[in-house]
Amino acid sequence: MQIDDIPSSTARDLASRIVTPGTAITSDPAYMRGHGTFGENDTIYSSVAGAVERINKLVSVRPLKQRYSGEIGDIVVGRITEVGSKRWRVDVNSRQDGVLLLSSINLPGGIQRRKLESDELQMRTFFAEGDLVFAEVQSFFADGGLSLHTRSIQYGKLRNGQLVTVFPQLVPRSRSHFHTLPCGVDIVVGVNGYIWVSKHVPAAKVEANSELIYSDRNEHISDSERETIARIANCIHLLNRLYVKITDTSIIFAYEASLPHAVKDLLTKEVATDLAHTVKARLLQQS
Amino acid sequence: MSTNAIDRRRINGPQRSVEPVYLKTETSVSADSRQDGRTRTNVRPIFMRTGPLSPQATSAASPSGSAYYEQGKIRISCAIYGPRQGRKSNPRMGIFDCDFKYAPFSCSWKRSHLKSSDEKEIGLMLEQAISPAIRLDAYPKASIDAFVTVIESDGKAATISAAINCISAALVDAGIEIYDSVAACSVALMGSEFYYDCTQEEEDSAQCTLLMACMPNANEITYLLQQGKTLPEQTEKAVQTCSDLCTQIYAVICRYLQTSVEQ
Amino acid sequence: MASLILSPAEQDYIIRGVESGFRADGRSSLDRREVTLRTGMISQANGSARCRIGNLGVGTDVLVGIKAEVNAWTPGDGVPESSGVLICNVECSPSAAQEFEGRGAEELNVELTQLLDRIFNGPQSGIDFEKLCIIPKQAYWVLHVDALVLDVRGGITDALVWATRAALLSTRLPRVVVESIPDDNGVMQAEFDVVDDPDDLTELDGVENMPIAVTFSRIGRRFVVDASEQEEAVAQARMTVAVSPKMDICAVQKGGVLRGFMPTLFSEVLQTAQTIAREEFSRFEKCYAEAKSQALSQIDEPSTGSTFLVPF
């Protein structure tokens, strides 16, 4: 289907057009095809419904909603679904499950400890089904599956908090995905849409106790810490519902706007609508 | 009533057949003399035997444990296979699966040989009643399967509680680790009094039946089902009554298991 | 009920939260989520209702449709001579959860169908089944209650009962005219005619006596009401109590395979059920009134999920 015929495309014509699948974008041979497009003859067509993006000579179409597809270096939060031979299968909310190899994790007792045979037989002492891991995408397998690693002290098993699921496209890639918010709560914002909100544990404490990195036991969480975690989690739900980009800034704005209300009221229609206006206004103001 | 669809695997009866409707005879239920001569608070006499289906349990194909249970006219047999490799395996704990079936001749009306949703639900109920008692975390990735067949039934709630008692005995026979035996009983509200362990006729004329399963030593109610309307105080009283009854039935089961082990 | 696997750390977080009275989303043990109710959206059905329990427009979503049919009475059917019948059926749609596709939801469907049947089919529901009989020993109304579970975020039972209650309240049956007509031998036979007038409809009798259900989930040593998905994954046992407006207990059913209930906890549950039921009845009245006014306001908007969303 061809809506507009584009004899010669200018940069402005291409950018931020909303197209539907099958729309011809350009016939200019100078442009290369990116994600969300396919080519026939010399014309580039869109294969999804979304906005056209142009980066130099690369034309791609970004759909509103799509499953998370990983890139090398992405920080993700995943859930272990299967324990296999020398590897774990991890659900990262993507087209395929990610893989965490035994050789890609930190072994307790010192980072430089060598892998033993007993480690292969005792894989569940590290990660078992259902555990949440904070990992980085190391590489791709030939079939497109992600290979993860947790070879840094801040990565590993997540505890002392709760998980919030958001749309992956609301999480922009940034330099850091682990934040300690001023209210005293740690958040891990996975690019795949899984966000972990937990009690703040000082980094020094984590490093001192390398034996406990695979422990399942939570620290003691006081009532006020619990309340703050719940408040942040509800704020993230709200941001997700408003379809606002989720960064530490937007979370802090939402948190501050939410303070006058009780935590459980944050998800009710009236309060949520109120907060929506406040947060949106502040974000617009900032940009 | 049974409508027989043409089933090529079986010899078919007529297309439609109906249970005969009996003339209603006058049945008066008073606290002192019920239909079968019991008083209001009498439970039907219990008989049980473990291991009838698996005297030596030598081959892997025979059940690990089995039990036969009678309570008045109710006759139930249960076979337990396992712990064995489960189809749906959970790496953290074992799974208890229960298959419940009425024999077609067991009730006062003819039942279909196909499993009805009633039987599927009772299977679920039995799982919910018995699973808390089994040390499932001692059997990861394994599945314990119980197959219960009702040979004769007399009162739905009473049959279900008898099934629970039967499975408890079979579990002990199979040597599966359990926290405590589960004992179950049922009561029905007629007028303003609770009648213990009711027959089918009594249940049909009752305004409410309550079925309870519990672990007396662990002091935990593993299953509770009330059908019909009562006042909240009546529910409380019924639960209390059932609790005492279950303790009595539990004593009977334990006494039997003890003597059978001694022999 | 839909299985969600949580890590031991997450489970412990939820359990400790419940034990200190502060749940993961800030609610206390007895707080329930928002409920949205809509009725009359299925024009082909005699009654229909849609109930969503959850916050921010996302939650457990149940759609109930009621169709009435006339059945000829036959002896041995199991139907009393002068009474109508209610037949329930619950289906969990694969759109609610991936594991519901194919035969995955079979067990859950059976459990929920029997539960609904236990609460609504019979004298305990308060519905006057005798009025549903058209001609004794000849014809009676059959009400098919079909529930479709569209989304699951914890608390299916409560949503089912809310939706069924609303659907039955909004059910309108065509009026039936019964006449005695002499047959060929001069014997008076009763015959009935269904009036084909879309404005001449009758309500069901006794529907204001219908019970409402409250489900308690045991987490650790405490219980919570209206469990979220995560809480249900951690809950060791469930107890559903159906309470009528007159505070009678209409049904009690335990669910869950991991643990049981201590007798003291059960007594507490029974007491709390009555308190909560009172609140729920008034909440239901409000929601139902809102649903009725929405239905009457004749907006030409299709009743899709978007009507539940507040324009954010």
Side-chain angles (χ1 to χ4, degrees):
Chain A
M1 185 182 81
Q2 219 151 331
I3 305 179
D4 300 311
D5 230 299
I6 315 167
S8 74
S9 16
T10 60
R12 229 178 303 132
D13 281 347
L14 284 175
S16 31
R17 263 175 66 211
I18 306 286
V19 291
T20 51
T23 321
I25 301 174
T26 177
S27 302
D28 197 333
Y31 289 99
M32 292 189 296
R33 288 182 292 110
H35 289 300
T37 62
F38 65 95
E40 230 173 80
N41 308 322
D42 281 325
T43 322
I44 301 179
Y45 293 91
S46 158
S47 62
V48 290
V52 177
E53 284 180 335
R54 188 195 72 89
I55 304 169
N56 282 342
K57 296 284 183 197
L58 184 68
V59 174
S60 58
V61 183
R62 187 171 47 90
L64 266 187
K65 205 163 44 155
Q66 207 179 40
R67 289 286 270 185
Y68 164 69
S69 53
E71 314 252 314
I72 296 182
D74 275 353
I75 307 291
V76 294
V77 172
R79 196 183 285 281
I80 307 282
T81 55
E82 216 181 283
V83 180
S85 145
K86 290 197 264 189
R87 66 180 60 192
W88 292 271
R89 287 223 156 266
V90 186
D91 162 37
V92 286
N93 201 21
S94 177
R95 291 180 216 132
Q96 278 193 48
D97 280 347
V99 169
L100 181 63
L101 298 171
L102 180 59
S103 48
S104 307
I105 69 168
N106 277 336
L107 298 166
I111 293 181
Q112 303 306 324
R113 198 190 94 181
R114 294 192 70 201
K115 190 160 61 99
L116 305 169
E117 276 233 3
S118 60
D119 290 333
E120 289 172 33
L121 301 170
Q122 296 278 57
M123 294 205 26
R124 282 202 178 79
T125 56
F126 305 129
F127 295 113
E129 285 88 342
D131 282 339
L132 281 173
V133 294
F134 172 21
E136 188 182 329
V137 178
Q138 186 174 47
S139 61
F140 286 106
F141 289 111
D143 58 2
L146 300 174
S147 175
L148 308 171
H149 80 91
T150 60
R151 274 206 164 279
S152 178
I153 197 62
Q154 76 256 31
Y155 299 149
K157 199 183 274 200
L158 293 170
R159 23 168 192 285
N160 301 324
Q162 62 187 55
L163 186 74
V164 180
T165 314
V166 300
F167 297 121
Q169 58 269 25
L170 294 181
V171 183
R173 289 184 170 91
S174 80
R175 263 177 304 117
S176 169
H177 285 267
F178 179 90
H179 305 281
T180 302
L181 300 178
C183 47
V185 160
D186 285 345
I187 52 168
V188 177
V189 186
V191 185
N192 58 338
Y194 288 172
I195 301 184
W196 180 254
V197 186
S198 64
K199 163 190 161 126
H200 175 64
V201 175
K205 190 168 179 189
V206 174
E207 283 175 28
N209 239 327
S210 65
E211 285 296 331
L212 295 179
I213 54 176
Y214 293 112
S215 154
D216 285 324
R217 295 187 53 183
N218 288 338
E219 314 237 329
H220 171 72
I221 304 176
S222 71
D223 283 348
S224 63
E225 285 168 330
R226 207 173 274 284
E227 191 182 326
T228 323
I229 295 175
R231 188 177 284 279
I232 297 281
N234 283 355
C235 287
I236 299 179
H237 275 303
L238 187 65
L239 291 174
N240 184 38
R241 194 73 182 74
L242 293 174
Y243 216 75
V244 165
K245 286 258 186 263
I246 296 175
T247 59
D248 54 336
T249 331
S250 56
I251 296 177
I252 293 174
F253 284 170
Y255 174 78
E256 289 170 359
S258 78
L259 283 172
H261 305 278
V263 179
K264 64 180 174 187
D265 292 331
L266 292 179
L267 299 176
T268 57
K269 263 188 239 164
E270 303 82 34
V271 176
T273 331
D274 251 351
L275 284 181
H277 292 312
T278 326
V279 173
K280 274 199 158 147
R282 204 163 157 197
L283 283 169
L284 273 173
Q285 201 184 48
Q286 209 219 15
S287 63
Chain B
M1 166 185 108
S2 51
T3 339
N4 295 317
I6 302 290
D7 185 348
R8 283 177 229 284
R9 295 170 299 176
R10 294 186 153 86
I11 300 172
N12 287 294
Q15 269 301 99
R16 203 185 118 98
S17 56
V18 176
E19 178 200 354
V21 179
Y22 297 98
L23 278 173
K24 281 252 179 298
T25 49
E26 275 306 307
T27 49
S28 61
V29 180
S30 78
D32 292 322
S33 71
R34 293 149 85 173
Q35 200 56 26
D36 47 6
R38 287 183 288 151
T39 65
R40 183 180 63 87
T41 55
N42 270 8
V43 173
R44 282 171 280 187
I46 296 173
F47 167 82
M48 54 187 203
R49 172 134 312 158
T50 51
L53 303 174
S54 55
Q56 266 92 38
T58 41
S59 87
S62 58
S64 329
S66 58
Y68 172 75
Y69 184 96
E70 276 186 25
Q71 189 168 334
K73 274 203 258 174
I74 301 176
R75 294 181 172 77
I76 302 188
S77 125
C78 167
I80 298 220
Y81 288 86
R84 57 181 181 176
Q85 180 68 42
R87 282 158 292 120
K88 7 172 194 172
S89 74
N90 182 339
R92 290 223 169 99
M93 17 191 278
I95 295 173
F96 175 69
D97 226 353
C98 184
D99 185 276
F100 181 88
K101 186 89 184 61
Y102 280 109
F105 42 77
S106 57
C107 299
S108 65
W109 65 98
K110 182 207 168 289
R111 295 198 79 104
S112 160
H113 51 264
L114 295 166
K115 204 183 279 197
S116 67
S117 52
D118 207 17
E119 289 162 318
K120 287 189 198 149
E121 199 215 1
I122 297 179
L124 270 173
M125 287 185 197
L126 296 175
E127 281 169 31
Q128 290 173 353
I130 303 270
S131 296
I134 308 180
R135 288 202 57 209
L136 289 171
D137 49 331
Y139 301 109
K141 288 197 183 167
S143 155
I144 299 172
D145 302 314
F147 294 90
V148 180
T149 311
V150 178
I151 299 169
E152 195 172 333
S153 150
D154 194 7
K156 181 171 171 188
T159 308
I160 299 174
S161 35
I164 294 173
N165 294 332
C166 188
I167 299 178
S168 288
L171 279 175
V172 175
D173 184 50
I176 292 173
E177 291 191 47
I178 52 181
Y179 292 110
D180 195 7
S181 285
V182 183
C185 65
S186 67
V187 296
L189 183 69
M190 285 191 273
S192 59
E193 294 280 356
F194 278 105
Y195 283 73
Y196 300 7
D197 191 23
C198 292
T199 62
Q200 184 68 50
E201 255 187 57
E202 290 170 336
E203 272 187 22
D204 284 339
S205 55
Q207 70 211 58
C208 164
T209 54
L210 193 115
L211 154 73
M212 186 171 113
C214 71
M215 294 193 281
N217 272 355
N219 196 27
E220 204 166 283
I221 301 175
T222 60
Y223 196 72
L224 188 60
L225 180 70
Q226 174 183 321
Q227 278 189 191
K229 193 167 17 182
T230 59
L231 299 169
E233 308 84 63
Q234 288 174 320
T235 305
E236 282 252 30
K237 187 155 172 284
V239 170
Q240 187 58 45
T241 315
C242 279
S243 192
D244 299 330
L245 260 185
C246 281
T247 321
Q248 292 174 25
I249 295 180
Y250 174 80
V252 170
I253 298 179
C254 282
R255 204 168 51 229
Y256 169 74
L257 290 172
Q258 201 153 1
T259 46
S260 76
V261 169
E262 281 164 6
Q263 275 165 8
Chain C
M1 290 171 190
S3 57
L4 177 71
I5 304 181
L6 297 181
S7 68
E10 282 173 289
Q11 292 181 24
D12 179 69
Y13 181 82
I14 293 178
I15 294 174
R16 288 199 200 279
V18 168
E19 288 186 346
S20 55
F22 199 87
R23 291 155 82 171
D25 53 3
R27 288 185 284 158
S28 75
S29 321
L30 302 180
D31 281 330
R32 280 92 64 201
R33 290 170 291 179
E34 289 193 317
V35 181
T36 324
L37 204 58
R38 290 289 177 269
T39 56
M41 67 273 299
I42 302 178
S43 50
Q44 302 273 35
N46 296 87
S48 59
R50 181 172 175 180
C51 173
R52 174 183 286 159
I53 295 185
N55 292 310
L56 293 181
V58 163
T60 303
D61 208 333
V62 177
L63 179 62
V64 173
I66 302 195
K67 282 197 85 71
E69 286 183 338
V70 180
N71 216 15
W73 187 86
T74 40
D77 234 347
V79 180
E81 291 174 4
S82 51
S83 160
V85 148
L86 196 115
I87 299 181
C88 301
N89 188 47
V90 179
E91 251 188 69
C92 295
S93 150
S95 65
Q98 201 183 330
E99 64 243 18
F100 289 163
E101 67 177 321
R103 299 187 65 180
E106 212 181 298
E107 245 185 41
L108 189 58
N109 287 345
V110 167
E111 193 179 344
L112 294 173
T113 304
Q114 295 285 14
L115 182 71
L116 216 59
D117 184 76
R118 196 161 286 131
I119 295 177
F120 288 103
N121 189 20
Q124 72 279 358
S125 67
I127 301 175
D128 195 341
F129 281 98
E130 298 217 339
K131 294 266 170 65
L132 286 177
C133 171
I134 300 174
I135 300 171
K137 292 221 245 186
Q138 217 175 305
Y140 57 94
W141 282 112
V142 178
L143 293 176
H144 291 277
V145 177
D146 292 297
L148 190 61
V149 178
L150 300 167
D151 202 356
V152 176
R153 303 282 166 138
I156 305 187
T157 327
D158 296 345
L160 263 176
V161 175
W162 268 71
T164 310
R165 195 165 195 274
L168 284 168
L169 270 172
S170 68
T171 300
R172 300 287 178 269
L173 296 179
R175 202 160 57 82
V176 172
V177 175
V178 181
E179 312 179 300
S180 284
I181 298 177
D183 70 358
D184 307 326
N185 298 335
V187 180
M188 297 301 271
Q189 296 285 348
E191 293 225 341
F192 70 94
D193 244 317
V194 178
V195 176
D196 191 15
D197 186 356
D199 293 320
D200 193 359
L201 302 170
T202 58
E203 290 183 12
L204 295 178
D205 284 288
V207 283
E208 60 281 352
N209 297 328
M210 285 191 295
I212 212 162
V214 188
T215 304
F216 297 85
S217 304
R218 177 187 166 177
I219 296 181
R221 282 171 303 225
R222 308 278 320 131
F223 57 80
V224 296
V225 179
D226 189 17
S228 67
E229 232 186 336
Q230 288 79 9
E231 288 167 343
E232 262 186 13
V234 175
Q236 296 150 319
R238 283 188 313 272
M239 190 75 77
T240 304
V241 183
V243 186
S244 78
K246 299 206 179 76
M247 293 296 126
D248 292 322
I249 308 288
C250 297
V252 178
Q253 183 161 338
K254 182 246 182 194
V257 289
L258 289 175
R259 296 291 299 275
F261 266 77
M262 287 88 76
T264 43
L265 200 63
F266 175 68
S267 301
E268 217 185 308
V269 161
L270 211 56
Q271 297 294 333
T272 320
Q274 295 171 65
T275 328
I276 295 190
R278 250 176 232 119
E279 294 170 17
E280 289 289 88
F281 277 122
S282 52
R283 205 158 70 118
F284 184 91
E285 290 303 320
K286 238 178 51 169
C287 288
Y288 187 70
E290 204 185 300
K292 261 196 346 196
S293 68
Q294 276 260 354
L296 287 174
S297 59
Q298 310 263 3
I299 306 174
D300 260 293
E301 216 180 295
S303 276
T304 59
S306 61
T307 54
F308 287 179
L309 301 178
V310 171
F312 265 4

